[in-house]
Amino acid sequence: MRPEHETIEELLAARALGGLETDEERELDRLLAEHGDCEACRRLAREAAETAAALALTLEPVAPPAGIIERILAAEPPTTAAEPADELTRRRAARSAQPPRRSSRPWWSVGAVAAALVALVVSLSVAMPGTQEIRSVNLAQRVVRFEGDAGVLAMAYAPGRPGAIFWGHGLPDLPAGQVLEIWMIDDDRPTSGGCAVPVDGRLALAVDASIGTTDQMAVTVEDASCPDAPTSEPVLVAPL
Amino acid sequence: MATRVTTGAPAVIRATDAHDAELIQRVRQRDDRAFRALFDRHAPTAHALALRIVRQRQLAEDIVQETFLALWRSPEAYDERRGSVRSWLLGTLHHRAVDVVRREEAQRRRHDRALAGLDLSAPDHAEEVVLELARDSERRAVRAALETLPPEQRAVLEWMYFDGLTQREIAERERLPLGTVKSRTLLGMRRLRAALAEDEG
Ligand SMILES: [Zn+2]
């Protein structure tokens, strides 16, 4: 590392915190320009920025008024990125104009989907006032990410307390009549944590099951009957 | 079965950073849902920071709006080589807020205003609930890391970051040599970074 990097680090640290005066800012810019495309400088800048930003996390977050996002989105869009955007918007609009794919599935599959969605809404409405409820168990919560090739799935729960929240995206598009079943494996004995069907690859689900003594979580693809024991290899697993 | 356990906050922090980068990509393609997701995720912290620095509700809201409007208008301004989306957003907001404070400061001393009555964020998607949980454990980790700093280093960082004071102003106000303030800044930042990294590793 070049000797000036110590000076640069000092100035970058102060700048990330907003602590430089104009002449010091200029001094820093001059040094950085001298170094040009310097990976060490970039790393120091990155570290200073991340560390300073961490300070903001010590504050209790405060929700901004809802109007802000609407005002931003209502503002004139930029002209530069308009081309690909229009294309995308069109494609997205075209997609959402199509009838939902599952309408072509047999009635029992629709039933399965509906059941999963009802379970989702009901348990979430229990969990969501849950802002309070969940906040109160925060101190003990754990977040676990499942591993596997079937998309991203995370689970949050408080050890020793019933209930877990699952959230996923990029999950597989299941053939008609199939569901994802969540398993809690305790001493090689799987217990079903419930079944769900991802919508557009996304899944949000709260279950009442207790994760307390479970040593592994797994997800398999099962038929819509949501069997009591897994019939296939897991597509996602999370050792606890 | 060959699996890798990823539990606790750090893994999730990295996951959320990766998700942010993905969202920015979509914002560049003018995907307003991705923009809303970024807003939902970062605006409450950004808003808290703006309030802490400018201590005026309307000003703080304006600063949050300007910061996110800039993101919506020119997402290509974000350069992933310079760090996470969050540090970029918070850094931009911090800069604006400190500018405002310094301008205001010239005219009159600002004073604390009651912030009571502001709602705490209430996530309204399950995704947000999970990320909120992840962020809560991250917040605890950051607070714990900050606790490991010697009080004089921590004070200097907080005076700069939250009160918008420069190193020179701190030196004058606290009757300290400027060199002392500078070294406390550097040592404090190094130590905080190390504590955060340790928590992650
Ligand atoms: Zn360099």
Side-chain angles (χ1 to χ4, degrees), chain A residues 5 8 35 38 40-41:
Chain A
H5 277 135
I8 290 176
H35 278 228
C38 170
C41 283

Side-chain angles (χ1 to χ4, degrees), chain B:
Chain B
M1 207 174 317
T3 53
R4 200 162 48 84
V5 196
T6 50
T7 52
V12 175
I13 294 165
R14 282 191 291 273
T16 53
D17 280 351
H19 196 188
D20 275 353
E22 183 190 314
L23 289 172
I24 276 272
Q25 272 313 115
R26 285 165 54 195
V27 169
R28 285 175 179 153
Q29 297 163 335
R30 316 312 302 153
D31 180 340
D32 62 328
R33 280 174 53 190
F35 179 71
R36 280 176 197 274
L38 276 175
F39 185 88
D40 288 347
R41 187 174 301 176
H42 298 293
T45 301
H47 190 209
L49 180 58
L51 278 167
R52 176 66 182 79
I53 296 170
V54 303
R55 292 163 191 259
Q56 284 182 49
R57 198 173 171 148
Q58 189 54 51
L59 266 181
E61 286 175 19
D62 290 349
I63 290 166
V64 171
Q65 183 168 328
E66 281 169 25
T67 304
F68 280 89
L69 181 60
L71 164 66
W72 179 233
R73 289 204 158 145
S74 19
E76 61 283 350
Y78 168 68
D79 177 357
E80 43 277 320
R81 290 180 311 170
R82 291 190 184 172
S84 64
V85 173
R86 178 175 72 197
S87 73
W88 176 63
L89 272 172
L90 291 175
T92 314
L93 176 127
H94 185 264
H95 196 77
R96 283 174 200 273
V98 166
D99 263 4
V100 167
V101 168
R102 291 194 182 146
R103 259 183 280 133
E104 293 257 310
E105 194 75 6
Q107 295 162 333
R108 58 174 178 77
R109 301 294 301 176
R110 72 208 135 89
H111 43 266
D112 289 46
R113 301 223 174 157
L115 300 176
L118 291 173
D119 294 333
L120 286 182
S121 74
D124 54 356
H125 313 295
E127 170 179 351
E128 274 308 306
V129 175
V130 173
L131 292 173
E132 181 61 30
L133 290 170
R135 278 196 298 260
D136 270 351
S137 59
E138 188 180 16
R139 280 195 190 97
R140 282 197 305 279
V142 174
R143 284 185 194 134
L146 199 59
E147 295 290 331
T148 69
L149 260 60
E152 68 277 7
Q153 290 175 12
R154 178 180 173 166
V156 165
L157 300 194
E158 291 184 337
W159 286 328
M160 268 187 267
Y161 193 69
F162 292 129
D163 297 334
L165 294 176
T166 64
Q167 291 179 316
R168 259 178 227 165
E169 286 166 342
I170 292 170
E172 273 168 37
R173 199 185 66 176
E174 301 297 313
R175 297 171 198 280
L176 288 167
L178 180 57
T180 304
V181 176
K182 285 183 175 175
S183 67
R184 283 180 189 174
T185 306
L186 182 59
L187 293 176
M189 285 289 273
R190 278 182 181 170
R191 188 146 176 171
L192 181 57
R193 185 169 67 78
L196 291 168
E198 196 174 294
D199 183 77
E200 258 186 61

Side-chain angles (χ1 to χ4, degrees), chain A residues 89-100:
Chain A
T89 316
R90 258 201 310 278
R91 257 185 289 156
R92 208 172 298 126
R95 230 185 5 242
S96 57
Q98 287 164 2

Side-chain angles (χ1 to χ4, degrees), chain A residues 2 4-5 8 31-32 35-42 44:
Chain A
R2 290 158 69 170
E4 318 87 271
H5 277 135
I8 290 176
L31 283 166
L32 289 174
H35 278 228
D37 188 31
C38 170
E39 182 48 40
C41 283
R42 260 204 302 276
L44 290 171

